[in-house]
Amino acid sequence: MMENGNGDFIEFHIHLTKGWDFKTAQQIYMQEESESDVITGLQQKTIYGRPNWDEIFPELARKHPGIDIGVFFCGPKPLSRTLHKKCNEHSTNSTRFLYNKENF
């Protein structure tokens, strides 16, 4: 995508809210300066802790004005409902957040 001039076509945020212990946290901290994420191996770093939707959505709208933004989610139903609600709350006439979910 970057080679075709579409480096900003997709943006993703991975949040790890639980399931890690002190030893894992130490290992993650020691790898913070590496170019790839210690958990996923991706260039995008994992964010530890709960996402602040009221900061994330306005920032995405600012970076991508006037377009539809697809939001894709896979996870527990209570979080799905919250995320869907936030997509609707932060959608405007110029930037819409289109919620999509996947259940396994």
Side-chain angles (χ1 to χ4, degrees), residues 6-17:
N6 295 318
D8 63 348
F9 177 76
I10 189 167
E11 181 176 325
F12 56 93
H13 301 259
I14 300 170
H15 292 265
L16 184 59
T17 58

Side-chain angles (χ1 to χ4, degrees), residues 11-20 28 37 39-40 42 44-57 59-60 71-76 79 83:
E11 181 176 325
F12 56 93
H13 301 259
I14 300 170
H15 292 265
L16 184 59
T17 58
K18 64 179 181 178
W20 48 290
I28 292 166
D37 185 76
I39 302 290
T40 65
L42 300 171
Q44 174 70 37
K45 300 287 184 140
T46 299
I47 302 164
Y48 300 93
R50 293 178 181 246
N52 184 337
W53 303 121
D54 293 325
E55 288 181 4
I56 293 170
F57 282 105
E59 175 65 15
L60 288 170
V71 177
F72 298 89
F73 174 79
C74 180
L79 182 53
L83 187 56

